[in-house]
């Protein structure tokens, strides 16, 4: 409460000198005990993609005589409020890392909706719009969900070499982030299966199984197997990463070339060698289908398949196939490049 009082008092310092934060026209709705100002949202889950602009709706039936609206991002693991902005209907002030990418829509006089521009992977999550009206307040919560793809990841050292922090960094290096449980569950319903356990964003460890078998947890019902919460420093597993749409595009250059030659060929075209997350995003959103193995930035060789066929791995389902991490100097393949142009 002391933190909230301090923030609200700071907000007053940039307002005009008036006891009323916002003065309404004569036909305002008088304050009535039990009256709810905030309209319930039509959709509590807002879908978007990385790079898009998105509006989180927060609309009042009518405005109180004086009020503040506070937007926060909800993080249950952090007891402190992650305040994004506070408005009094006249001015607003931004507070956190979203300050350069968020603003009030102001579509009409009762509109307190927040717009987030150039959505990033980190923007996904729960948001709260809170109306403070004197001693009373009310709020609504919305979930921002990115369309994307989950992929399992392990480094060149092989299976179970990543603690939680190394797994988080490994995903970020591949243009992704650690997946949430709901993202992994959604991916499982869409066909993701992986017989190795991997870290998720909340520090728990799971793996998705579609066809039950002894080496993958035994012959029990298919589902998301769980190891629960593990020690983030000591315990080591694989990682489940999540990525979304690309600003640029991924394309293939025919080899054969070594890894160093592959990097040079991409740079010569004003591009860079693609990351694993970028290849998955191109497969998911651009429907990239190529029956040729190509180098990626982490030293792995993969190929994206939309239409399965015998000469492209022989698997019955679409996916991104992996050849592992071949010798960079002695093995030759094509290369997948990524360009913003």
């Amino acid at each position: 409460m002391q933190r909230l009082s301090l923030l609200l008092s700071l907000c007053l310092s940039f307002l005009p000198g008036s006891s009323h934060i916002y003065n309404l026209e004569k036909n305002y709705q008088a304050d009535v005990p039990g009256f709810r100002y905030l309209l319930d949202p039509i959709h509590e889950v807002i879908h978007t993609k990385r790079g898009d602009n998105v509006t989180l709706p927060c609309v009042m039936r009518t405005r109180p005589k004086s009020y503040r609206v506070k937007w926060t991002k909800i993080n249950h693991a952090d007891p402190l409020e992650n305040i994004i902005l506070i408005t009094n209907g006249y001015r607003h002030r931004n507070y956190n890392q979203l300050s350069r990418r968020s603003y009030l829509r102001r579509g009409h006089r009762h509109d307190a909706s927040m717009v987030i521009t150039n959505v990033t992977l980190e923007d996904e999550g729960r948001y709260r719009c809170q109306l403070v009206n004197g001693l009373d307040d009310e709020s609504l919560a919305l979930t921002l969900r990115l369309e994307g793809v989950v992929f399992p990841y392990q480094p060149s050292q092989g299976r179970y070499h990543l603690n939680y922090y190394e797994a988080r960094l490994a995903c970020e290096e591949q243009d992704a982030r650690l997946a949430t449980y709901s993202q992994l569950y959604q991916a499982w319903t869409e066909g993701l299966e992986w017989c190795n356990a991997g870290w998720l964003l909340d520090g728990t460890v799971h793996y998705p199984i579609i066809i039950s078998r002894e080496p993958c947890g035994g012959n029990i019902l298919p589902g998301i197997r769980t190891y629960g919460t593990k020690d983030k420093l000591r315990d080591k597993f694989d990682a489940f990463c999540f990525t979304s749409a690309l600003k640029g595009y991924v394309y293939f250059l025919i080899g054969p070339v070594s890894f160093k030659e592959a990097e040079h060929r991409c740079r010569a075209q004003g591009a860079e060698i693609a990351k694993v997350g970028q290849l998955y995003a191109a497969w998911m959103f651009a429907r990239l289908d190529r029956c040729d193995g190509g180098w990626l930035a982490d030293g792995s060789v993969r190929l994206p398949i939309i239409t399965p066929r015998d000469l492209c791995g022989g698997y019955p389902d679409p996916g991104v196939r992996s050849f592992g991490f071949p010798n960079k100097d002695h093995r030759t393949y094509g290369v997948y490049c990524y360009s913003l142009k």
Side-chain angles (χ1 to χ4, degrees):
M1 290 301 294
Q2 291 179 345
R3 177 181 173 87
L4 176 58
S5 300
L6 175 60
L7 287 170
L8 294 181
S9 62
L10 288 172
C11 185
L12 288 174
S13 65
F14 65 90
L15 303 176
S18 170
S19 60
H20 288 290
I21 297 179
Y22 197 92
N23 296 318
L24 302 180
E25 297 82 352
K26 292 182 180 180
N27 61 346
Y28 66 82
Q29 167 72 45
D31 294 337
V32 177
F35 179 80
R36 279 190 59 83
Y37 287 93
L38 295 181
L39 291 171
D40 292 330
I42 297 176
H43 303 289
E44 294 184 359
V45 179
I46 311 299
H47 295 269
T48 188
K49 297 190 295 291
R50 178 169 57 175
D52 287 354
N53 298 341
V54 66
T55 299
L56 301 181
C58 184
V59 178
M60 294 174 280
R61 288 183 171 87
T62 187
R63 295 174 300 184
K65 292 179 181 178
S66 62
Y67 69 92
R68 303 177 188 88
V69 170
K70 178 176 61 174
W71 275 100
T72 57
K73 188 173 184 185
I74 304 170
N75 182 0
H76 296 293
D78 185 355
L80 298 178
E81 285 189 307
N82 187 6
I83 298 177
I84 301 170
L85 62 83
I86 296 177
T87 181
N88 64 351
Y90 178 72
R91 298 180 182 176
H92 76 272
R93 176 170 289 179
N94 298 68
Y95 285 90
N96 75 355
Q97 70 274 12
L98 276 173
S99 62
R100 294 183 180 180
R101 295 190 294 109
S102 63
Y103 62 89
L104 291 171
R105 181 174 63 178
R106 298 186 186 277
H108 50 82
R109 68 185 63 188
H110 297 161
D111 189 10
S113 303
M114 181 175 66
V115 178
I116 300 175
T117 63
N118 192 21
V119 170
T120 69
L121 298 176
E122 291 72 24
D123 293 338
E124 181 167 279
R126 294 274 287 173
Y127 291 81
R128 177 182 290 119
C129 175
Q130 183 179 14
L131 174 69
V132 181
N133 175 26
L135 297 177
D136 298 323
D137 67 87
E138 56 185 278
S139 64
L140 58 84
L142 299 163
T143 298
L144 181 61
R145 184 165 296 165
L146 271 66
E147 299 175 16
V149 56
V150 173
F151 61 93
Y153 187 79
Q154 56 184 219
S156 59
Q157 296 92 327
R159 179 176 182 263
Y160 293 175
H161 275 81
L162 302 171
N163 67 26
Y164 173 82
Y165 302 101
E166 292 166 340
R168 189 172 67 182
L169 179 60
C171 289
E172 291 171 356
E173 289 176 342
Q174 299 310 315
D175 192 48
R177 67 174 300 192
L178 278 175
T180 65
Y181 181 84
S182 62
Q183 289 167 344
L184 180 65
Y185 184 88
Q186 177 70 26
W188 171 72
T189 67
E190 295 170 353
L192 177 64
E193 181 175 70
W194 188 250
C195 201
N196 296 333
W199 290 103
L200 296 182
L201 186 61
D202 62 359
T204 59
V205 175
H206 306 266
Y207 62 102
I209 294 298
I210 292 177
I211 301 175
S212 300
R213 52 204 185 273
E214 284 298 334
C216 301
N219 291 314
I220 58 178
L221 289 175
I224 306 293
R225 311 278 195 258
T226 180
Y227 286 5
T229 302
K230 307 300 289 186
D231 188 293
K232 292 182 177 180
L233 281 173
R234 185 183 66 238
D235 294 324
K236 295 190 175 183
F237 298 94
D238 291 346
F240 287 105
C241 306
F242 172 82
T243 193
S244 187
L246 296 172
K247 291 183 178 179
Y249 65 99
V250 173
Y251 61 96
F252 181 77
L253 294 179
I254 297 174
V257 292
S258 67
F259 179 78
K260 287 185 178 179
E261 292 169 335
E263 288 183 309
H264 176 74
R265 289 194 65 187
C266 290
R267 285 197 301 267
Q269 296 196 356
E272 61 185 24
I273 189 168
K275 300 176 180 179
V276 177
Q278 292 167 340
L279 182 65
Y280 269 94
W283 168 75
M284 169 65 73
F285 293 100
R287 310 296 292 171
L288 181 62
D289 184 288
R290 187 85 196 191
C291 194
D292 297 283
W295 291 107
L296 296 178
D298 66 340
S300 65
V301 173
R302 305 174 194 252
L303 65 156
I305 298 298
I306 296 294
T307 304
R309 51 245 195 229
D310 290 339
L311 297 179
C312 300
Y315 292 95
D317 300 315
V320 175
R321 318 290 187 224
S322 175
F323 291 175
F325 294 84
N327 185 291
K328 292 182 178 180
D329 297 321
H330 300 130
R331 300 296 298 273
T332 57
Y333 300 89
V335 58
Y336 289 96
C337 303
Y338 170 72
S339 175
L340 283 171
K341 299 178 181 179

